[in-house]
Amino acid sequence: MARTPIICGNWKMNKRPDEAVAFARELAPKVAEFGNVERAVAPTFLALTAVADALRGTALQVAAQDGHWAAEGAYTSEVSVTMLRPYVSYVIIGHSERRAYLNESDENVNRKAKAILAEGLRPIIAVGESLAQNEAGETVEFVRSQVMAALAGISAADMAEVVIAYEPIWAIGTGRSASGELADRIIKSAVRDTVRELYDDAVADSLRIQYGGSVKPGNMEEFMSQPNIDGALVGGASLQVADFTALIEIAARVKG
Ligand code: 13P
């Protein structure tokens, strides 16, 4: 089954609104072609509406880096998925930095996923093991448990809107990426096959799964050549126009 690759730049806590808008304006025409690849950028909340306005009418989509499940209410500092709806197509949830530093739980990731789907948006659900878990041989079991928890109560029909990003924590921002083959193996056994058990072959075979963790122009082809990897969630390399453009070009060439 053909799956449209998706490359999403996660800007994390980088780029002020003026920088973010200038970057988006420079990037959009450079990636205007490549129709067979979805591409998105995820600015900070502070820059999100300005970037969405700057990109309106372009093929570059906007993602949020998080979103609260309640529509509104007494949740100081949070931004709801409902509020995000006019501005974004995707919402990243469960990023390991939020899980590690901000107590993001599997339960909240699941609540957020359901709220995102209920608003007609698409969640990018990030999962991945720590170095200690990896070295202890617990990767598949742990990632599988994250996938199961995140998807609890989500219908097979809604799964068509879900993207899962496998990001081994030890590969994030370290320059130490997993090999393409290893990432593909884990993605298949811990993510795609888990979804196959929870749903069916059709859902599993159409699910888009990204790899994330030190993805750069130099290793992108290796990841995109893998049968189970349908794109990338990119931190550092998404902060440079030339690098991010190259990633999209490579995805279009290899997967197209
Ligand atoms: P890096 O590409 O900087 O390793 O970050 C990956 C990531 O966490 C994307 O969400």
Side-chain angles (χ1 to χ4, degrees), residues 154-176:
I154 291 178
S155 71
D158 275 345
M159 283 300 291
E161 311 304 323
V162 170
V163 175
I164 295 184
Y166 168 61
E167 300 201 303
I169 296 170
W170 47 270
I172 295 177
T174 58
R176 186 183 154 196

Side-chain angles (χ1 to χ4, degrees), residues 8-10 12 92 95-97 126 165 167 171-175 212-216 233-238:
C8 181
N10 174 10
K12 307 189 179 182
I92 300 167
H95 194 281
S96 60
E97 286 149 14
E167 300 201 303
I172 295 177
T174 58
S214 296
V215 172
K216 310 273 181 252
L233 187 56
V234 186
S238 75

Side-chain angles (χ1 to χ4, degrees), residues 88-248:
V88 307
S89 315
Y90 288 92
V91 184
I92 300 167
I93 51 174
H95 194 281
S96 60
E97 286 149 14
R98 289 194 54 83
R99 293 182 192 259
Y101 311 139
L102 296 156
N103 290 324
E104 186 74 282
S105 66
D106 277 337
E107 196 182 21
N108 285 357
V109 172
N110 177 246
R111 285 191 180 121
K112 290 174 179 184
K114 287 176 177 159
I116 292 161
L117 292 164
E119 290 291 349
L121 301 175
R122 293 172 162 169
I124 297 177
I125 302 171
V127 296
E129 83 288 2
S130 67
L131 183 59
Q133 289 168 320
N134 184 278
E135 287 175 343
E138 295 165 5
T139 298
V140 171
E141 187 191 342
F142 180 72
V143 172
R144 198 179 137 77
S145 75
Q146 286 183 316
V147 168
M148 291 175 75
L151 299 179
I154 291 178
S155 71
D158 275 345
M159 283 300 291
E161 311 304 323
V162 170
V163 175
I164 295 184
Y166 168 61
E167 300 201 303
I169 296 170
W170 47 270
I172 295 177
T174 58
R176 186 183 154 196
S177 61
S179 75
E181 231 173 87
L182 177 67
D184 190 75
R185 212 163 49 229
I186 295 165
I187 281 173
K188 179 179 184 302
S189 55
V191 185
R192 204 175 295 288
D193 287 348
T194 301
V195 169
R196 198 177 303 284
E197 280 171 42
L198 292 173
Y199 298 89
D200 57 25
D201 284 347
V203 170
D205 291 338
S206 54
L207 174 69
R208 295 186 296 169
I209 309 175
Q210 299 172 309
Y211 168 78
S214 296
V215 172
K216 310 273 181 252
N219 59 22
M220 184 67 168
E221 179 155 0
E222 182 184 340
F223 290 113
M224 291 306 103
S225 307
Q226 305 301 324
N228 286 288
I229 301 182
D230 310 307
L233 187 56
V234 186
S238 75
L239 299 172
Q240 307 295 330
V241 170
D243 282 356
F244 196 58
T245 304
L247 296 182
I248 293 164

Side-chain angles (χ1 to χ4, degrees), residues 8-11 40-45 48 61-68 79-81 83-85 87-93 116 121-124 233:
C8 181
N10 174 10
W11 292 352
V41 291
T44 66
F45 281 132
L48 195 139
Q61 303 181 76
V62 180
Q65 295 180 19
D66 190 33
H68 197 279
V79 176
S80 79
V81 171
M83 291 167 172
L84 290 168
R85 186 158 52 93
Y87 304 100
V88 307
S89 315
Y90 288 92
V91 184
I92 300 167
I93 51 174
I116 292 161
L121 301 175
R122 293 172 162 169
I124 297 177
L233 187 56

